[in-house]
Amino acid sequence: MQRSVRWVAAVLVTAAAFAVPTWLCGAVVLPPALKDPAIRWGVAAALGAALAALAAAWGHSFASRTGGESSQPVPAGGPVQATGERAVAIHGNSTGGISTGDTGASRTPADLPARQEPAPPAAVPAPPSAPGSVTASGERSIAISGNPGGNISTGDHPGGGQA
């Protein structure tokens, strides 16, 4: 569904959410209880406005969502491989945050273990690339074919530590 059609639908639903309850309350439900038309229609309009506000909130989310459509088409074909430690390979569009680092509670230097020199990383041979392929072969590497649409982090987050 096109965005303009969704906006028109959202506006129509919002208008109906105001008009229908306002008329029902003002003309049908409230006359036996409230004889003064100014008070009766004021209460009916307030109820209609409250329901229209809820409908407008829904309408905005409905009309502004992407609904599976993307600004970039998803590339076709190709292998997807993630061979490294904490590696991520995604074919297509990702709409969330991606992190390959450590997260956790904030730690003070006294809480951290003594730092040892890490062993040299083992060489990870990169697989042969094919057209349209997505490969993440290094440690904490990320490969995305398309628009990630979110935050990407390959290291430690602030407040976290790596043991």
Side-chain angles (χ1 to χ4, degrees):
M1 182 182 294
Q2 290 184 357
R3 182 170 285 209
S4 60
V5 173
R6 287 194 306 255
W7 275 108
V8 168
V11 168
L12 291 175
V13 167
T14 302
F18 174 77
V20 171
T22 301
W23 179 81
L24 280 175
C25 287
V28 178
V29 175
L30 292 177
L34 299 171
K35 300 298 179 198
D36 186 10
I39 294 174
R40 181 175 66 233
W41 285 104
V43 170
L47 177 65
L51 292 175
L54 292 174
W58 167 84
H60 180 268
S61 67
F62 172 72
S64 62
R65 70 181 172 147
T66 58
E69 302 167 0
S70 66
S71 57
Q72 270 187 330
V74 176
V80 177
Q81 296 178 347
T83 59
E85 180 181 338
R86 294 182 177 174
V88 177
I90 298 174
H91 177 71
N93 295 333
S94 171
T95 57
I98 299 172
S99 173
T100 60
D102 294 332
T103 59
S106 177
R107 296 197 275 181
T108 63
D111 294 336
L112 296 174
R115 183 155 179 99
Q116 298 176 357
E117 289 300 316
V124 178
S129 298
S133 68
V134 178
T135 303
S137 60
E139 180 180 348
R140 295 184 183 192
S141 62
I142 298 173
I144 298 174
S145 176
N147 182 5
N151 296 329
I152 297 174
S153 172
T154 59
D156 297 339
H157 291 276
Q162 183 179 10

